[in-house]
């Protein structure tokens, strides 16, 4: 059954989004510094002929940076994406994507004009079939080569300043692992010198918007790969958890019976190979991660250093963090006090909001707790728990946005660490998106979290009132009918049954190929080499 599911998924539309568009990974494109691919819908660059967008110069922000990175002109990610490209597609209206072929988050339809709202739910609230489908999507993404994107396997200088391109294919899942590595990797300064105190997505204000965008792209990617346009990332609510309750074979993989650092052979993820996990080796070889397989996923939940992270975060920790009124505070890095971002990221004590380098709290606590692939920043996205964890972190960010209703100006415009100013373009995405664009409510990006949707009793009653009204009328009518004679009532019931039956059948046929029965799924876990 799983084979059938995957086969069905494989033959559906395959398209991807993320890092270097394949169409721009040529010496010609790099020489011209232009990444404005043709939109297949009309064969014009950026879908210009159809009014989707046009090829435009990339205008860089000149706002001053913080003092944390004391170099210029040494890292390809500085002034992203100008080392590689100075012209990219700028899409208009509801369009987005490297050739303006996609709809902006929250829009759909041929012309990207219809609004939609998708709801991310707790992984424990998914039905068995929905949960199995999610796992099947992960497996599919790990095995499907990205059609539209490739990764860079060398620096711009190693590519002879673009004259000898170094790019390679990557799977849809690993594309995102690589992007997370690339954004957080160290700077190779030449010779044996390496600068480690740099990160374009962590330890500074961009942490929350960057991961928000990353998850939205990931979600969009899975939607395109599987044709399941309503797919949403499930989240893991880890508040007050005492153990990793998603670390079972039914969910994200249990523990191996004899080697506690590995996953149980009954989990799909036991056969996964990690990439980009050997940062010190890349540094000593002065290369980038080239996405070669580096061994199995490692995870040993709870075996971490308990002096650093005594327990998983509590509801009180989250609540205390949410009460912080400042999004960011000087010096806008991991030493910031009273910064909501720094506290949620986990570099400050959640109860006092004072930075504490001896502890890993909130977001960081989960990474440390997993004691394996999740625990090193650069390779952490190898573990699919990363996605569930970051969805929950994003939901806390969303709660803060709702509670404090910040203006765009609350996000720092200047003097943040490199890559983190409001108008900085987020590394390593093409085309370009600014940090500030994702410092907005999730509903404006077309999604919400099930647990944040007000269960207001009044609105629930509003919702069911029409049904109650209908039921009341039917009752009155039935009582009336009963008075006339039971014959009429039973005829209605019979007719109702007849009308319902074909409908239910149609529903189950339609859904069957995507659903997996529990027992089929369990049987298939032992043959994951599909
Ligand atoms: C973009 O780069 C190309 C190639 O180096 C150069 O000729 C062109 O002047 C640049 N354009 C801008 C706007 O910087
Ligand atoms: C999309 O726009 C085109 C051109 O304006 C129009 O012909 C077409 O009917 C629109 N399609 C939809 C589904 O709105
Ligand atoms: C690449 O550009 C740098 C800086 O402009 C220059 O020093 C270097 O010689 C160039 N390398 C090649 C292979 O063209
Ligand atoms: C997605 O949801 C919309 C709105 O509920 C529905 O009309 C559409 O059929 C759904 N698509 C799929 C593929 O289930
Ligand atoms: C696991 O935790 C131990 C301390 O309990 C630590 O020494 C080790 O580095 C951790 N491993 C990983 C991969 O985080
Ligand atoms: C944060 O607060 C601590 C304790 O008051 C203080 O020692 C430290 O200097 C402060 N850090 C910053 C960056 O202000």
């Amino acid at each position: 059954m799983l084979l059938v599911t995957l086969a069905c998924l494989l033959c559906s539309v395959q398209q991807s989004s993320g890092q270097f568009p394949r169409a721009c990974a040529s010496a010609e494109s790099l020489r011209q510094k232009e990444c404005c691919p043709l939109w297949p819908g009309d064969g014009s660059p950026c879908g210009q002929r159809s009014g989707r967008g046009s090829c435009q110069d990339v205008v860089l922000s000149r706002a001053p940076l913080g003092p944390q990175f004391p170099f210029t002109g040494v890292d390809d990610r500085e002034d992203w994406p100008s080392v590689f490209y100075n012209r990219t597609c700028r899409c208009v209206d509801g369009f987005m994507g490297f050739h303006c072929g996609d709809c902006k988050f929250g829009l759909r339809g041929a012309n990207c004009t219809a609004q939609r709202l998708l709801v991310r739910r707790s992984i424990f609230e998914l039905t068995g079939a929905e949960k199995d489908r999610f796992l099947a999507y992960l497996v599919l993404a790990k095995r499907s080569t990205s059609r539209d994107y490739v990764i860079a396997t060398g620096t711009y200088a190693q590519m002879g300043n673009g004259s000898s391109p170094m790019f390679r294919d990557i799977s849809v899942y690993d594309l995102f692992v690589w992007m997370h590595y690339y954004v957080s990797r160290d700077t190779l300064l030449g010779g044996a010198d390496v600068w480690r105190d740099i990160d374009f997505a962590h330890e500074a204000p961009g942490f929350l918007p960057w991961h928000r965008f990353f998850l939205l792209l990931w979600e969009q990617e899975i939607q395109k790969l599987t044709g399941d346009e309503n797919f949403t990332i499930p989240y893991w609510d880890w508040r007050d958890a005492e153990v990793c309750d998603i670390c079972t074979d039914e969910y994200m993989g249990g523990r191996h019976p004899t080697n506690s650092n590995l996953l149980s052979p009954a989990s799909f993820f036991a056969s996964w190979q990690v990439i980009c996990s050997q940062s010190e080796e890349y540094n000593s070889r002065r290369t980038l991660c080239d996405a070669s397989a580096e061994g199995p996923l490692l995870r040993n939940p709870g075996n971490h250093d308990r002096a650093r992270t005594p327990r998983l975060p509590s509801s009180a920790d989250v609540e205390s963090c949410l009460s912080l009124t400042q999004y960011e505070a000087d010096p806008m890095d991991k030493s910031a006090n009273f910064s909501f971002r720094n506290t949620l990221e986990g570099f400050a004590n959640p109860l006092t909001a004072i930075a504490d380098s001896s502890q890993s709290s909130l977001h960081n606590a989960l990474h440390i707790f997993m004691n394996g692939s999740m625990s090193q920043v650069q390779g952490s996205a190898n573990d699919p728990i990363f996605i569930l964890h970051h969805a929950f972190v994003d939901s806390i960010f969303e709660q803060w946005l709702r509670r404090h209703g910040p203006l765009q100006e609350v996000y720092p415009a200047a003097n943040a660490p490199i890559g983190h100013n409001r108008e900085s373009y987020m590394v390593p995405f093409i085309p370009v998106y600014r940090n500030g664009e994702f410092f907005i409510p999730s509903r404006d990006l077309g999604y919400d979290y099930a647990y944040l949707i007000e269960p207001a009793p009044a609105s629930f009653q509003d919702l069911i009132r029409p049904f109650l009204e209908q039921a009341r009328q039917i009752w009155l009518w039935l009582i009336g009918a009963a008075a006339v004679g039971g014959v009429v009532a039973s005829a209605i019931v019979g007719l109702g049954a007849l009308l319902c039956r074909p409908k239910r059948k149609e529903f189950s046929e339609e859904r069957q190929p995507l659903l997996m029965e529990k027992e089929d799924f369990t049987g298939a876990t032992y043959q994951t080499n599909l």
Side-chain angles (χ1 to χ4, degrees):
M1 190 62 200
L2 183 77
L3 277 164
V4 174
T5 309
L6 288 177
C8 289
L9 292 174
L10 271 167
C11 42
S12 58
V13 214
Q14 279 200 32
Q15 235 199 334
S16 12
S17 68
Q19 161 66 8
F20 292 90
R22 190 181 290 279
C24 305
S26 65
E28 179 59 10
S29 206
L30 289 170
R31 191 184 58 75
Q32 291 184 351
K33 290 197 151 202
E34 188 172 292
C35 181
C36 294
L38 307 180
W39 177 55
D42 68 4
S44 72
C46 312
Q48 177 161 19
R49 208 175 297 148
S50 307
R52 288 182 164 241
S54 56
C55 193
Q56 298 283 331
D57 289 348
V58 174
V59 181
L60 297 172
S61 160
R62 288 283 148 229
L65 304 176
Q68 290 85 356
F69 185 66
F71 307 95
T72 49
V74 298
D75 191 307
D76 293 345
R77 299 166 297 177
E78 290 175 50
D79 284 327
W80 184 261
S82 64
V83 166
F84 295 97
Y85 307 107
N86 62 19
R87 283 166 71 75
T88 61
C89 286
R90 190 180 305 154
C91 312
V92 297
D93 300 333
F95 302 107
M96 72 174 259
F98 66 92
H99 56 27
C100 303
D102 297 323
C103 292
K104 279 185 180 157
F105 304 119
L107 296 174
R108 73 165 77 194
N111 295 335
C112 302
T113 45
Q115 296 211 344
R116 65 162 180 179
L117 184 80
L118 296 179
V119 177
R120 293 182 181 167
R121 287 181 295 153
S122 161
I123 188 152
F124 292 124
E125 276 157 27
L126 304 184
T127 65
E130 287 168 338
K131 184 266 299 169
D132 288 346
R133 190 157 56 201
F134 170 61
L135 299 185
Y137 288 176
L138 284 166
V139 172
L140 180 72
K142 186 77 174 178
R143 290 167 188 281
S144 308
T145 301
S146 172
R147 198 183 70 175
D148 291 340
Y149 281 89
V150 291
I151 58 160
T153 55
T155 63
Y156 189 69
Q158 287 165 353
M159 297 186 199
N161 296 346
S163 58
S164 36
M166 296 166 69
F167 295 98
R168 68 170 277 189
D169 280 339
I170 187 111
S171 76
V172 171
Y173 187 91
D174 285 343
L175 172 67
F176 284 83
V177 179
W178 186 89
M179 289 197 287
H180 192 264
Y181 147 79
Y182 190 82
V183 77
S184 57
R185 70 177 174 86
D186 304 329
T187 298
L188 304 171
L189 290 171
D193 294 340
V194 171
W195 184 263
R196 291 181 175 78
D197 187 17
I198 186 168
D199 195 315
F200 290 79
H202 302 88
E203 305 181 8
F207 169 67
L208 294 168
W210 190 91
H211 285 84
R212 168 164 284 197
F213 179 70
F214 182 84
L215 291 188
L216 280 164
L217 265 189
W218 197 90
E219 204 166 59
Q220 190 184 60
E221 194 61 23
I222 299 292
Q223 289 164 358
K224 287 198 249 174
L225 177 68
T226 61
D228 182 353
E229 56 176 346
N230 297 331
F231 167 77
T232 55
I233 292 172
Y235 57 82
W236 175 34
D237 180 351
W238 33 247
R239 286 173 300 179
D240 307 310
E242 278 167 15
V243 294
C244 178
D245 47 11
I246 53 172
C247 296
T248 63
D249 287 338
E250 206 192 338
Y251 289 94
M252 308 313 288
R255 205 186 285 276
H256 192 281
T258 57
N259 182 341
S260 59
N261 288 313
L262 297 179
L263 297 185
S264 150
S267 164
F268 282 120
F269 307 117
S271 68
W272 280 27
Q273 289 277 313
V274 302
I275 62 166
C276 303
S277 65
Q278 307 289 329
S279 58
E280 288 311 318
E281 196 182 322
Y282 316 140
N283 287 346
S284 67
R285 291 204 317 249
R286 283 159 239 147
T287 62
L288 299 188
C289 160
D290 66 1
S292 311
E294 294 171 339
L297 258 177
L298 302 177
R299 193 197 294 155
N300 193 343
N303 183 55
H304 62 292
D305 175 1
R306 286 183 184 258
R308 171 159 287 280
T309 299
R311 52 171 173 78
L312 286 175
S314 66
S315 302
D317 293 340
V318 171
E319 195 44 48
S320 170
C321 178
L322 281 169
S323 70
L324 293 167
T325 55
Q326 289 185 88
Y327 177 72
E328 191 53 278
D330 284 336
M332 305 193 234
D333 57 21
K334 61 183 173 188
S335 71
N337 292 332
F338 309 115
S339 152
F340 166 72
R341 186 278 313 158
N342 202 37
T343 307
L344 176 55
E345 191 169 0
F347 293 107
N349 181 318
L351 302 177
T352 63
I354 301 290
D356 182 354
S357 61
S358 73
Q359 301 281 296
S360 294
S361 316
L362 290 174
H363 153 266
N364 287 344
L366 272 293
H367 283 282
I368 295 297
F369 179 87
M370 293 302 165
N371 197 240
S373 303
M374 271 279 273
S375 311
Q376 260 77 47
V377 177
Q378 298 183 20
S380 54
N382 276 297
D383 190 330
I385 285 181
F386 177 97
I387 297 292
L388 281 71
H389 170 43
H390 271 277
F392 194 67
V393 171
D394 184 69
S395 79
I396 300 172
F397 175 34
E398 184 56 27
Q399 286 189 71
W400 187 86
L401 290 173
R402 290 185 191 180
R403 193 174 300 188
H404 301 278
L407 297 172
Q408 184 71 188
E409 288 65 42
V410 164
Y411 188 98
N415 301 316
I418 186 167
H420 290 265
N421 282 339
R422 191 196 307 151
E423 307 291 316
S424 304
Y425 295 122
M426 293 188 285
V427 177
F429 306 113
I430 307 275
V432 289
Y433 305 90
R434 302 176 192 276
N435 288 305
E437 291 173 51
F438 295 89
F439 191 73
I440 59 171
S442 71
R443 286 183 156 253
D444 295 351
L445 296 163
Y447 72 101
D448 203 342
Y449 288 93
Y451 85 108
L452 301 184
I453 296 173
E454 293 295 318
S459 70
F460 177 64
Q461 261 165 25
D462 287 347
L463 203 73
I464 63 167
R465 185 167 302 129
F467 298 99
L468 289 173
E469 191 60 28
Q470 228 172 12
R472 200 177 56 88
Q473 279 169 8
I474 287 170
W475 261 115
L476 286 174
W477 199 81
L478 281 177
I479 289 164
V484 176
V487 186
V488 183
S490 48
I492 302 245
V493 171
L495 187 67
L498 272 174
L499 283 173
C500 290
R501 203 183 303 142
K503 208 171 184 176
R504 196 179 305 143
K505 195 167 162 231
E506 181 186 85
F507 174 78
S508 66
E509 270 171 5
E510 184 180 284
R511 302 287 292 254
Q512 204 60 54
L514 280 177
L515 298 182
M516 283 173 296
E517 295 307 323
K518 180 80 175 65
E519 59 262 38
D520 295 338
F521 180 72
T522 315
T525 54
Y526 293 97
Q527 28 164 310
T528 51
N529 283 326
L530 299 169

